Amino acid sequence: MPRLSNKTCVITGAARGIGAAIAEAFLTEGARVIVTDLYDSDGAATAQRLGADWRPLDVRSEDDWTALSKAHPSFDVLVNNAGITGFEDGAMPHDPENASLEDWHAVHATNLDGTFLGCRTAIRAMRASKAGAIINIASRSGLVGIPGAAAYASSKAAIRNHTKTVALYCAQQGLNIRCNAIFPAAVLTPMWEPMLGNGPDRAARMEALVAETPLKRFGDPEEVAALAVMLASDEAAYMTGAELTIDGGLLAGSAASPG
């Protein structure tokens, strides 16, 4: 029996990278998957390729979340995966002294506001059945200080705390709605491409970026997806408010806070 049979799953930021890998893994396990992403993303193409449903969703927009809840008044699993680093348009100061308030707000709007709105929508959608699973994609950067990415690190740290708050709230309400978080470190997704490039030094750049990782490699999106499948399934029925780190051993004791 597929592990997610008869479950309807909503995944944000699923056009590519970790979100697309989770969508594919969920489909393989028998779920009905609703791929969501920004209107101008590759989300529709990804959904068509995978055989999933497609719905445009800007996670920063309360109106978009309201529209999703009207179209899907109940669902079983939500993966809050949509997120940005703040460096999508090129390098800019994101340290605590020089980051602009505009850039700070932009990162938090997607990463933190989007997660808050997603969790709120999911609780309401799952309340009737009194059961479900919310999976928040945080980051290793939310567990340590990142001097050059203050906004990103702050937003992911806040997701860590909100995950626990949602878990406790649902338990207090007598709802079997579990909320857990996954904390990936360097996972090879399109987010890394600006730093890696396509030149002859690409391999050397990759090696340098994971030099302090004990396992000496990037993680694969499919490895994160495997954790998401477990958390979404009934196998994790006694897990809530938990955090699963997938970082190649970084937080086991090596240098945890890169420059």
Side-chain angles (χ1 to χ4, degrees):
M1 175 72 72
R3 297 155 78 190
L4 302 181
S5 181
N6 300 318
K7 294 185 185 292
T8 298
C9 306
V10 176
I11 306 171
T12 71
R16 60 185 69 83
I18 290 173
I22 293 174
E24 185 169 7
F26 279 14
L27 286 162
T28 299
E29 292 294 341
R32 177 198 176 192
V33 173
I34 302 163
V35 165
T36 77
D37 211 305
L38 290 171
Y39 297 80
D40 59 353
S41 71
D42 298 324
T46 297
Q48 183 177 25
R49 174 176 63 84
L50 296 177
D53 296 337
W54 157 245
R55 183 170 189 87
L57 173 71
D58 184 339
V59 296
R60 302 167 295 184
S61 168
E62 191 168 17
D63 289 342
D64 276 18
W65 279 107
T66 299
L68 181 141
S69 65
K70 289 179 178 178
H72 304 283
S74 65
F75 49 86
D76 304 290
V77 178
L78 171 67
V79 181
N80 282 312
N81 169 72
I84 63 172
T85 61
F87 302 112
E88 284 76 12
D89 296 324
M92 57 192 73
H94 267 239
D95 60 83
E97 181 180 9
N98 299 297
S100 72
L101 185 60
E102 180 182 8
D103 289 341
W104 175 271
H105 283 164
V107 171
H108 282 79
T110 295
N111 297 359
L112 184 54
D113 294 357
T115 297
F116 159 72
L117 291 170
C119 289
R120 189 179 72 177
T121 300
I123 294 169
R124 294 172 178 176
M126 298 170 185
R127 181 173 280 279
S129 65
K130 296 186 177 182
I134 301 170
I135 302 166
N136 295 328
I137 304 300
S139 171
R140 183 283 308 262
S141 298
L143 299 173
V144 297
I146 307 293
Y152 182 74
S154 170
S155 70
K156 294 298 187 177
I159 289 171
R160 178 194 191 194
N161 187 273
H162 194 62
T163 297
K164 298 176 186 297
T165 295
V166 170
L168 293 176
Y169 173 80
C170 290
Q172 290 171 354
Q173 292 283 305
L175 302 172
N176 187 27
I177 299 173
R178 300 175 293 102
C179 186
N180 296 289
I182 299 174
F183 292 75
V187 175
L188 195 56
T189 67
M191 183 184 295
W192 288 90
E193 290 306 317
M195 286 176 276
L196 297 176
N198 293 312
D201 61 343
R202 179 182 173 90
R205 286 173 178 263
M206 290 183 68
E207 185 177 342
L209 285 167
V210 296
E212 294 179 338
T213 300
L215 293 186
K216 302 297 182 186
R217 67 172 178 87
F218 279 88
D220 294 322
E222 292 75 16
E223 292 172 312
V224 181
L227 292 182
V229 167
M230 187 271 291
L231 290 175
S233 75
D234 295 338
E235 297 167 11
Y238 199 51
M239 288 183 68
T240 194
E243 48 194 63
L244 298 182
T245 303
I246 176 167
D247 67 355
L250 269 174
L251 293 182
S254 68
S257 182

